[in-house]
Amino acid sequence: MEITSPFFKAVLVEGIQRANTKLISDNGEHFVAEVEPIPLSTEASPEIEALRRALALDPGSLDTRRELIAVEIVAGNTSDALAQARAIQKERPKESMGYILEGDIYASKKAWGEAANAYRAGLKQAGTTDLANRLYSALNIGGKGAEADSFAASWLKDHPKDRGFRHHQAASAIVKKDYAS
């Protein structure tokens, strides 16, 4: 009997080496697996390796990906964090989460232009209030207040009942002590 299942995507071989399974067969006495070793990372922390193993077992886990992104950011692995965010975008192109995470990664590095670009790309796919709020903030913090105001006017024209965006815009004005807004 041979078993091919998405649940057997990655295994530990002898407790130290990760491997992707190709085929599992039952010879009557025990299971035998054909595997392909996954190279060990010499740079990753144990936390990152553990999260990567968890993700190999359940590649669709958004929670695991989000946690991995957070740990990668703290470790200074921006390119790895961005790769994870973009993987979410590819897997869930019409959802906002991958774009939010990409923008937040850039925002954590104070790269406001790149953050704004990520949020804008997300708005084209999933026009959520959360993305609109983040784009508005990224533009303002990035020194593009006029562009932020233009975006806000356009967003509110298209979404006149968006109380969440109005609230965010008002809170931003209070923080800036722009009481006339």
Side-chain angles (χ1 to χ4, degrees):
M1 174 174 97
E2 293 182 350
I3 301 171
T4 56
S5 168
F7 297 111
F8 296 109
K9 286 192 175 201
V11 295
L12 284 175
V13 179
E14 297 184 15
I16 57 168
Q17 176 73 46
R18 291 184 306 139
N20 288 320
T21 56
K22 294 181 176 183
L23 179 70
I24 298 174
S25 56
D26 181 1
N27 69 7
E29 292 181 31
H30 56 275
F31 288 100
V32 177
E34 290 181 31
V35 298
E36 178 181 308
I38 298 172
L40 290 173
S41 170
T42 57
E43 299 174 13
S45 70
E47 295 86 3
I48 290 173
E49 280 298 321
L51 288 164
R52 287 179 182 166
R53 283 193 304 271
L55 196 55
L57 292 171
D58 186 8
S61 174
L62 189 56
D63 290 336
T64 303
R65 267 198 211 278
R66 288 173 57 181
E67 186 65 25
L68 179 56
I69 288 169
V71 174
E72 294 280 20
I73 290 170
V74 170
N77 302 332
T78 304
S79 61
D80 291 339
L82 287 168
Q84 292 298 326
R86 290 179 182 140
I88 294 170
Q89 292 169 10
K90 190 174 180 181
E91 293 166 7
R92 302 166 184 243
K94 298 296 181 189
E95 294 180 21
S96 63
M97 186 53 63
Y99 302 97
I100 288 171
L101 290 169
E102 180 181 357
D104 289 356
I105 292 164
Y106 285 123
S108 76
K109 301 297 179 193
K110 300 187 183 333
W112 302 111
E114 288 89 347
N117 289 339
Y119 299 139
R120 240 187 233 105
L123 281 170
K124 290 177 183 174
Q125 297 297 320
T128 66
T129 298
D130 195 10
L131 281 163
N133 289 344
R134 289 167 192 261
L135 175 56
Y136 181 75
S137 292
L139 291 170
N140 271 314
I141 296 167
K144 300 200 181 237
E147 190 177 343
D149 291 341
S150 175
F151 167 73
S154 173
W155 181 264
L156 289 171
K157 181 181 176 197
D158 295 341
H159 306 88
K161 295 182 181 183
D162 189 343
R163 290 183 181 172
F165 185 78
R166 288 184 186 277
H167 175 68
H168 181 76
Q169 191 179 22
S172 295
I174 290 170
V175 168
K176 293 188 298 184
K177 297 184 181 185
D178 181 10
Y179 303 117
S181 290

